[in-house]
Amino acid sequence: MSALEPRGPEVTQQPAGPVISASQERPLAVDTGPDALRPEDGVLSRTYRALSIGIIAVVLLIAFEATAVGTAMPVAARELNGVEVYAFAFSSYFTTSLLGMVVAGQWADRDGPLRPLATGIAAFAVGLVLSGTATAMWLFILGRAVQGLGGGLVIVALYVVIGRAYPEHLRPKILAAFAASWIIPSIVGPLASGTVTEQLGWRWVFLGIPALVVFPLALALPAIRRMTAGPAGPADPSAPRAPFDRHRIRLALAISIGAGLLQYSAQDLVWLSLIPAAAGAALLVPAVLGLLPKGTYRAARGLPSVVLLRGVAAGSFIAAESFIPLMLVTQRGLSPTMAGFSLAAGGLTWAAGSFLQSRPRMEPYREKLMATGMVLCGLAIAAAPTVLIDAVPVWTLAITWALGCFGMGMVIASTSVMLLKLSAPEEAGANSAALQISDGLSNIMLLAAGGAAFAALGGGAVGHHAATAASSSGGSHPAAFAVVFIPMALVAILGAWVTTRLKPPVAEAV
C-alpha cells in the first residue's frame, strides 16, 4: 500500500469556544444543521450518504490503481525499452505527490477542498492516459509524475473534507471506511491487472482506470458543494482571502527534487553517486524543517509527534513490505503470484485494526492502541526474515505480516484522527499536508536506504533487475534481506516510544 493509502475512534464532541490551553481540543466540524450533530447519524445516514459514498469511491479508485498498475509496470518497462530506469516509474509518482500535497494544503485552506479535489482527480486520470499511450519510457515516467501530482492533491483535500464536513464523532468511522476500501483492490487488483495485461495488453490497465473517475466526480463533488459553505469554501468565508505562500511552494519543489536526487544516487553504489546525494540532502533537509511542524524531528509533544509517528510507521512498514515478494521468490522459490497472495490477508487485518480503533469505547486507550500497533509492526518486520531458514514454513510469514497490518490499521487511522483533533479549521489543510509529506517522504527515504544496504550486501538493484538477476544466479545472499528487515524493525519499535509523546503539553488556562 502506498502513502496515499494512504490504507480514524470516537471522541467527545465539545462545544465551540475559545481555546484556553494547548491541550484543549479545538472543534473542527462546521455546523451543517441540526441533523449533522445528532449522535444517531452515521456516515451513511441521509445527511452524509452521498458525500461518504463519493469520497470512498475516490479512495477505492486510488487503491485499485495502486494494486493494479504495479502488476503491469514490468511489462510496460520491457516493451518501452526502459527497464534500466524502471525504479523512476515509481519514484516519479512519489516525488511529485509531495509537491501536490503542499499545494493542496494551501489551496484547501484558502478556497476549500472542492477545487483541489476536482483538479487532483482530473490530473490523476490524465496521468494514467499519458502513461497508457506512451511510446517511449520518458513519456511513461512523465505520465506517472502527473498522476502523482494529482494523487497528492486528492489525498490532502480528502482529509480537509473530513475535517470540515463531518462532526468529530464520525471522523474515525469514515477513516475506517477508507481502510476497508483497500480490501477488495488488494485481493482482486493484481489478479485482474495480470489477466488484462496477458489478454489485452498492459496499456489497458492504465487506460481502463480513468473510466472509473466519472462516478466519484459525479457523486462526491456535488455532495461537497451541498454541505454548506464550509466544506466547499474557506474555513471562515468572512476572513480576507490569503495569498498562496510562495515560500512554502518553493520548499515543496525543493523537497521533491531533493527526494528524487537521493533516490537516483541510491540506485548505483559508486563514488559519483555522492554528488547527487549531497545535492539532494542540501535541498531536502531545510525544506523538511520548513514544511513539517516545528519540533517534529525531536518528537516534540502533540502535533509534531503525531506527524513524526506517521512517517516512522508508514516508512518502516512499507519499506520492509517491498522486499517480501522478492525474498519469497528468490529464496523460497515461490511464483510471483503466490508471493503476492502471501500478503493478501493484510488488507483484511489492516481494515480490522482501523475498525477497532474507531469504536467509542477505545477512545480512552488511543495512545495504548497506537503503542501496541507499533510493537506488532516491529515484531512482524523482525520475524519476516525467519523464512530465510528452510525449516520455517512460508505460511508463518503470512500470519505474522497479517498481525503487523492489524497494528498498522490502528496506528495509521489514529494518527489521522489525532491530527484533525489537534488542528484548527484554518490549519487543517497545511497540517494534513505535513502528515502526508511525513508519510510519503519516509517511504522514499527508508526504501532508498534499504535498497542501498540490500545492494551493498549482494542483493543487487531494487526492482525488476533484482528479480531477474537473483532468479538466474540462484538467489541473493540471505544477509542482504536481513540488513533491510532488522533496521526497519528497530525504526518501528522507536515508533512505540513516539506514541508516549502524542498528548500536547498542558498549559496554564488564560
Side-chain angles (χ1 to χ4, degrees):
M1 299 182 183
S2 71
L4 298 177
E5 82 41 45
R7 217 234 260 167
E10 200 141 327
V11 287
T12 304
Q13 183 72 27
Q14 296 186 1
V19 177
I20 62 174
S21 74
S23 61
Q24 184 178 6
E25 300 166 15
R26 288 176 283 191
L28 278 176
V30 175
D31 185 5
T32 56
D35 289 342
L37 296 179
R38 287 199 316 232
E40 63 268 24
D41 273 353
V43 295
L44 293 179
S45 64
R46 182 177 179 181
T47 305
Y48 302 103
R49 185 180 301 127
L51 177 63
S52 297
I53 294 175
I55 62 177
I56 289 172
V58 173
V59 175
L60 190 67
L61 170 68
I62 293 174
F64 186 78
E65 181 277 338
T67 56
V69 165
T71 304
M73 202 86 76
V75 180
R78 287 196 296 269
E79 185 173 316
L80 296 174
N81 298 315
V83 173
E84 67 278 2
V85 290
Y86 175 78
F88 288 99
F90 291 96
S91 62
S92 60
Y93 180 100
F94 290 117
T95 52
T96 55
S97 70
L98 295 174
L99 174 61
M101 291 170 189
V102 175
V103 172
Q106 290 196 41
W107 198 354
D109 285 341
R110 181 175 184 261
D111 297 327
L114 183 62
R115 292 177 181 175
L117 181 61
T119 304
I121 294 175
F124 193 80
V126 169
L128 285 165
V129 172
L130 284 174
S131 293
T133 57
T135 56
M137 192 62 181
W138 71 269
L139 287 172
F140 183 86
I141 293 173
L142 175 63
R144 291 288 292 165
V146 174
Q147 191 183 339
L149 183 64
L153 290 170
V154 167
I155 192 64
V156 171
L158 285 177
Y159 273 81
V160 178
V161 168
I162 294 171
R164 299 271 188 91
Y166 292 88
E168 198 167 350
H169 73 280
L170 289 183
R171 293 178 202 147
K173 299 180 185 300
I174 191 65
L175 288 167
F178 280 9
S181 299
W182 281 83
I183 295 176
I184 294 177
S186 66
I187 297 173
V188 176
L191 180 61
S193 176
T195 302
V196 171
T197 300
E198 292 176 6
Q199 301 298 323
L200 302 176
W202 65 268
R203 295 183 184 276
W204 287 104
V205 175
F206 291 86
L207 296 176
I209 294 176
L212 304 177
V213 170
V214 176
F215 178 72
L217 281 175
L219 194 58
L221 301 186
I224 294 172
R225 188 179 291 112
R226 286 196 302 269
M227 296 295 286
T228 77
D236 182 3
S238 64
R241 197 162 178 258
F244 281 100
D245 188 338
R246 295 183 180 180
H247 175 65
R248 289 183 66 84
I249 292 177
R250 285 195 294 269
L251 290 178
L253 280 170
I255 206 172
S256 296
I257 296 172
L261 288 172
L262 284 175
Q263 289 176 87
Y264 174 78
S265 65
Q267 298 301 307
D268 294 305
L269 298 179
V270 296
W271 286 109
L272 288 177
S273 297
L274 293 176
I275 297 175
L283 288 170
L284 196 62
V285 172
V288 169
L289 293 176
L291 290 174
L292 298 186
K294 186 178 180 181
T296 298
Y297 72 95
R298 55 182 174 83
R301 288 191 175 275
L303 184 65
S305 285
V306 174
V307 173
L308 176 63
L309 179 63
R310 179 60 163 260
V312 168
S316 60
F317 197 78
I318 299 303
E321 187 178 61
S322 300
F323 285 86
I324 287 180
L326 181 63
M327 179 173 65
L328 294 177
V329 170
T330 61
Q331 300 298 310
R332 297 302 298 264
L334 270 67
S335 67
T337 300
M338 291 303 299
F341 274 123
S342 69
L343 304 177
L348 293 169
T349 56
W350 190 304
S354 183
F355 176 80
L356 176 64
Q357 63 79 42
S358 72
R359 298 297 84 198
R361 62 181 179 273
M362 293 291 105
E363 174 56 26
Y365 311 105
R366 177 162 303 282
E367 287 79 13
K368 291 182 179 179
L369 281 176
M370 298 171 80
T372 302
M374 290 310 305
V375 171
L376 287 175
C377 294
L379 293 176
I381 296 171
T386 59
V387 298
L388 294 170
I389 303 171
D390 290 339
V392 176
V394 173
W395 55 261
T396 60
L397 187 145
I399 295 176
T400 57
W401 207 252
L403 290 174
C405 287
F406 180 77
M408 282 293 285
M410 293 192 291
V411 172
I412 296 300
S414 289
T415 56
S416 302
V417 171
M418 293 197 72
L419 178 115
L420 293 174
K421 193 174 173 183
L422 296 173
S423 300
E426 66 275 9
E427 299 170 346
N431 289 343
S432 296
L435 189 77
Q436 296 302 323
I437 288 171
S438 178
D439 186 317
L441 185 62
S442 180
N443 283 339
I444 294 170
M445 295 298 97
L446 289 180
L447 184 56
F454 181 74
L457 269 75
V462 179
H464 178 71
H465 282 309
T468 303
S471 297
S472 62
S473 63
S476 304
H477 196 285
F481 291 99
V483 80
V484 172
F485 289 104
I486 293 174
M488 297 306 165
L490 294 176
V491 172
I493 295 300
L494 175 65
W497 171 79
V498 177
T499 63
T500 66
R501 311 276 298 170
L502 298 179
K503 288 185 177 180
V506 178
E508 293 287 339
V510 295

Coordinates of all heavy atoms in Angstrom, one line a residue, residues 232-269:
A232 N -17.0 23.5 1.1 CA -16.7 23.9 -0.3 C -15.8 25.1 -0.4 O -15.1 25.3 -1.4 CB -18.0 24.1 -1.1
G233 N -15.8 25.9 0.6 CA -15.1 27.2 0.6 C -14.1 27.3 1.8 O -13.8 26.3 2.4
P234 N -13.6 28.5 2.0 CA -12.7 28.7 3.1 C -13.3 28.4 4.5 O -14.5 28.4 4.6 CB -12.4 30.2 3.1 CG -12.9 30.7 1.8 CD -14.0 29.7 1.3
A235 N -12.5 28.1 5.5 CA -13.0 27.8 6.8 C -13.8 28.9 7.4 O -14.8 28.8 8.0 CB -11.8 27.4 7.7
D236 N -13.3 30.2 7.1 CA -14.0 31.4 7.5 C -14.3 32.2 6.3 O -13.4 33.0 5.9 CB -13.2 32.1 8.6 CG -13.9 33.4 9.1 OD1 -15.1 33.6 8.7 OD2 -13.3 34.1 9.9
P237 N -15.5 32.1 5.7 CA -15.7 32.9 4.5 C -15.6 34.4 4.6 O -15.4 35.1 3.6 CB -17.2 32.5 4.1 CG -17.4 31.2 4.8 CD -16.6 31.3 6.1
S238 N -15.8 34.9 5.8 CA -15.7 36.4 6.1 C -14.3 36.9 6.2 O -14.0 38.1 6.1 CB -16.5 36.7 7.3 OG -15.9 36.1 8.5
A239 N -13.3 36.0 6.4 CA -11.9 36.4 6.5 C -11.3 36.8 5.2 O -11.8 36.3 4.1 CB -11.1 35.2 7.1
P240 N -10.3 37.7 5.1 CA -9.7 38.0 3.9 C -9.0 36.8 3.2 O -8.6 35.9 3.9 CB -8.6 39.0 4.3 CG -9.0 39.5 5.7 CD -9.8 38.4 6.3
R241 N -9.1 36.8 1.9 CA -8.6 35.6 1.1 C -7.1 35.7 1.1 O -6.5 36.6 0.5 CB -9.2 35.7 -0.3 CG -9.0 34.4 -1.1 CD -10.0 34.4 -2.2 NE -10.0 33.2 -3.0 CZ -9.3 33.2 -4.2 NH1 -8.7 34.2 -4.7 NH2 -9.3 32.1 -4.9
A242 N -6.4 34.8 1.8 CA -5.0 34.8 1.9 C -4.3 34.4 0.6 O -4.8 33.5 -0.1 CB -4.5 33.9 3.0
P243 N -3.2 35.0 0.2 CA -2.5 34.5 -1.0 C -1.7 33.2 -0.7 O -1.5 32.8 0.4 CB -1.5 35.7 -1.3 CG -1.2 36.2 0.1 CD -2.5 36.1 0.9
F244 N -1.4 32.6 -1.8 CA -0.5 31.4 -1.7 C 0.8 31.7 -1.1 O 1.4 32.8 -1.4 CB -0.3 30.7 -3.0 CG -1.5 29.9 -3.5 CD1 -2.4 30.4 -4.4 CD2 -1.7 28.6 -3.0 CE1 -3.5 29.6 -4.8 CE2 -2.8 27.8 -3.4 CZ -3.7 28.3 -4.3
D245 N 1.3 30.9 -0.2 CA 2.6 31.1 0.4 C 3.7 30.6 -0.6 O 3.9 29.4 -0.7 CB 2.7 30.3 1.7 CG 4.0 30.7 2.5 OD1 5.0 31.1 1.9 OD2 4.0 30.5 3.7
R246 N 4.3 31.5 -1.4 CA 5.2 31.0 -2.4 C 6.5 30.4 -1.8 O 7.1 29.5 -2.4 CB 5.6 32.2 -3.2 CG 4.5 32.8 -4.1 CD 4.9 33.9 -4.9 NE 3.8 34.5 -5.7 CZ 3.9 35.5 -6.6 NH1 5.1 36.1 -6.8 NH2 2.9 35.9 -7.3
H247 N 6.8 30.8 -0.6 CA 8.0 30.2 0.1 C 7.8 28.8 0.3 O 8.6 27.9 0.1 CB 8.3 31.0 1.4 CG 9.4 30.4 2.2 ND1 10.7 30.3 1.7 CD2 9.4 29.8 3.4 CE1 11.5 29.7 2.7 NE2 10.7 29.4 3.7
R248 N 6.6 28.4 0.8 CA 6.3 27.0 1.1 C 6.2 26.2 -0.2 O 6.6 25.0 -0.2 CB 5.0 26.9 1.9 CG 5.1 27.3 3.3 CD 3.8 27.1 4.1 NE 3.4 25.7 4.2 CZ 3.9 24.9 5.2 NH1 4.7 25.4 6.1 NH2 3.6 23.7 5.3
I249 N 5.7 26.8 -1.2 CA 5.7 26.1 -2.5 C 7.1 25.8 -3.0 O 7.4 24.8 -3.6 CB 4.9 26.9 -3.5 CG1 3.4 26.9 -3.1 CG2 5.0 26.3 -4.9 CD1 2.5 27.7 -4.0
R250 N 8.0 26.8 -2.8 CA 9.4 26.6 -3.2 C 10.0 25.5 -2.4 O 10.8 24.7 -2.9 CB 10.2 27.9 -3.1 CG 9.9 28.9 -4.1 CD 11.0 30.0 -4.1 NE 10.9 30.8 -2.9 CZ 10.2 31.9 -2.8 NH1 9.5 32.4 -3.8 NH2 10.2 32.6 -1.7
L251 N 9.7 25.4 -1.1 CA 10.2 24.4 -0.2 C 9.6 23.0 -0.7 O 10.3 22.0 -0.7 CB 9.7 24.6 1.2 CG 10.4 25.7 2.0 CD1 9.9 25.9 3.4 CD2 11.9 25.6 2.0
A252 N 8.4 23.0 -1.2 CA 7.8 21.8 -1.7 C 8.6 21.3 -3.0 O 8.8 20.1 -3.1 CB 6.3 22.0 -2.0
L253 N 8.9 22.2 -3.8 CA 9.7 21.9 -5.0 C 11.1 21.3 -4.6 O 11.6 20.3 -5.1 CB 9.9 23.1 -5.9 CG 8.7 23.5 -6.8 CD1 9.0 24.8 -7.4 CD2 8.5 22.4 -7.9
A254 N 11.7 22.0 -3.6 CA 13.0 21.5 -3.1 C 12.9 20.1 -2.5 O 13.8 19.3 -2.7 CB 13.5 22.5 -2.0
I255 N 11.8 19.8 -1.8 CA 11.7 18.5 -1.2 C 11.5 17.4 -2.2 O 12.0 16.3 -2.1 CB 10.5 18.5 -0.1 CG1 10.8 17.5 1.0 CG2 9.2 18.3 -0.7 CD1 9.8 17.5 2.1
S256 N 10.7 17.8 -3.3 CA 10.5 16.8 -4.4 C 11.8 16.5 -5.1 O 12.2 15.4 -5.4 CB 9.4 17.3 -5.3 OG 8.2 17.5 -4.7
I257 N 12.5 17.6 -5.5 CA 13.8 17.4 -6.3 C 14.8 16.7 -5.4 O 15.5 15.8 -5.9 CB 14.3 18.8 -6.8 CG1 13.3 19.4 -7.7 CG2 15.6 18.6 -7.4 CD1 13.6 20.8 -8.1
G258 N 14.9 17.1 -4.1 CA 15.9 16.5 -3.2 C 15.6 15.0 -3.0 O 16.5 14.2 -3.1
A259 N 14.3 14.6 -2.9 CA 14.0 13.2 -2.7 C 14.3 12.4 -4.0 O 14.9 11.3 -3.9 CB 12.5 13.1 -2.4
G260 N 14.1 13.1 -5.2 CA 14.4 12.4 -6.4 C 15.9 12.2 -6.6 O 16.3 11.1 -7.0
L261 N 16.7 13.2 -6.2 CA 18.2 13.0 -6.3 C 18.7 11.9 -5.4 O 19.6 11.2 -5.7 CB 18.8 14.4 -6.0 CG 18.7 15.5 -7.1 CD1 19.2 16.8 -6.5 CD2 19.4 15.1 -8.3
L262 N 18.1 11.9 -4.2 CA 18.6 10.8 -3.2 C 18.2 9.4 -3.7 O 19.0 8.5 -3.6 CB 18.0 11.1 -1.9 CG 18.6 12.2 -1.0 CD1 17.8 12.4 0.3 CD2 20.1 11.9 -0.7
Q263 N 17.0 9.3 -4.3 CA 16.6 8.0 -4.9 C 17.6 7.6 -6.1 O 18.0 6.5 -6.2 CB 15.2 8.1 -5.4 CG 14.2 8.2 -4.3 CD 12.8 8.3 -4.9 OE1 12.1 7.4 -5.2 NE2 12.3 9.6 -5.0
Y264 N 17.9 8.6 -6.9 CA 18.8 8.4 -8.0 C 20.1 7.9 -7.5 O 20.7 6.9 -8.1 CB 18.9 9.6 -8.8 CG 19.9 9.5 -10.0 CD1 19.6 8.8 -11.2 CD2 21.2 10.0 -9.8 CE1 20.5 8.7 -12.2 CE2 22.1 9.9 -10.9 CZ 21.8 9.2 -12.0 OH 22.7 9.1 -13.0
S265 N 20.7 8.6 -6.5 CA 22.0 8.2 -6.0 C 22.0 6.8 -5.4 O 23.0 6.1 -5.3 CB 22.5 9.2 -5.0 OG 21.7 9.3 -3.8
A266 N 20.9 6.4 -4.8 CA 20.8 5.1 -4.2 C 20.8 3.9 -5.2 O 20.9 2.8 -4.8 CB 19.6 5.0 -3.2
Q267 N 20.5 4.2 -6.4 CA 20.4 3.1 -7.4 C 21.8 2.5 -7.8 O 21.9 1.4 -8.1 CB 19.8 3.7 -8.7 CG 18.4 4.2 -8.6 CD 17.4 3.1 -8.0 OE1 17.3 2.0 -8.6 NE2 16.7 3.4 -7.0
D268 N 22.9 3.4 -7.7 CA 24.2 2.9 -8.1 C 25.2 3.2 -7.0 O 25.4 4.4 -6.7 CB 24.7 3.5 -9.4 CG 23.8 3.1 -10.6 OD1 23.7 1.9 -10.8 OD2 23.3 4.0 -11.3
L269 N 25.8 2.2 -6.4 CA 26.7 2.4 -5.3 C 28.1 2.6 -5.9 O 29.0 1.8 -5.8 CB 26.7 1.1 -4.4 CG 25.4 0.8 -3.8 CD1 25.5 -0.4 -2.9 CD2 24.9 2.0 -2.9

